[in-house]
Amino acid sequence: MSVLAVFLNALIIPVSLALHYYGIVLIAAIILSWLEAFHVLNTYNQFVSMICTTLHKLTDPYLNFFRKIVPPAGNIDLSPLLGFLVLYFLEGFIPRFLAVLAQKVA
């Protein structure tokens, strides 16, 4: 087995976990945006503001790509739904692709 095949096999679990955890962060950002929209959160609180800012910085670059594709329908932003579906697809596709690629290289 070549070094490249071992490296690709070693990448499968970290990539899968990173995509899974990013999905959790994306869900948290979606829920947080709902709480902000309905004024449930006190965004003047420094701790809440820090969490909001961090989640927006983590998810907005990814969601902005889908916001260019899918315009908002009224007051509803459908880009997180499309972003979550693409992330779910990638979570299944990339680890399998790495496994197949590792087999081809070996």
Side-chain angles (χ1 to χ4, degrees), residues 45-92:
N45 184 336
Q46 186 178 5
F47 181 71
V48 173
S49 176
M50 182 182 63
I51 290 175
C52 292
T53 303
T54 303
L55 284 177
H56 286 300
K57 284 183 179 181
L58 287 173
T59 58
D60 279 349
Y62 178 69
L63 292 177
N64 284 340
F65 174 75
F66 297 108
R67 287 184 180 124
K68 292 176 187 174
I69 297 171
V70 180
N75 288 338
I76 300 173
D77 185 16
L78 297 175
S79 62
L81 178 63
L82 183 60
F84 192 71
L85 290 175
V86 169
L87 189 67
Y88 183 71
F89 170 76
L90 290 175
E91 191 175 341

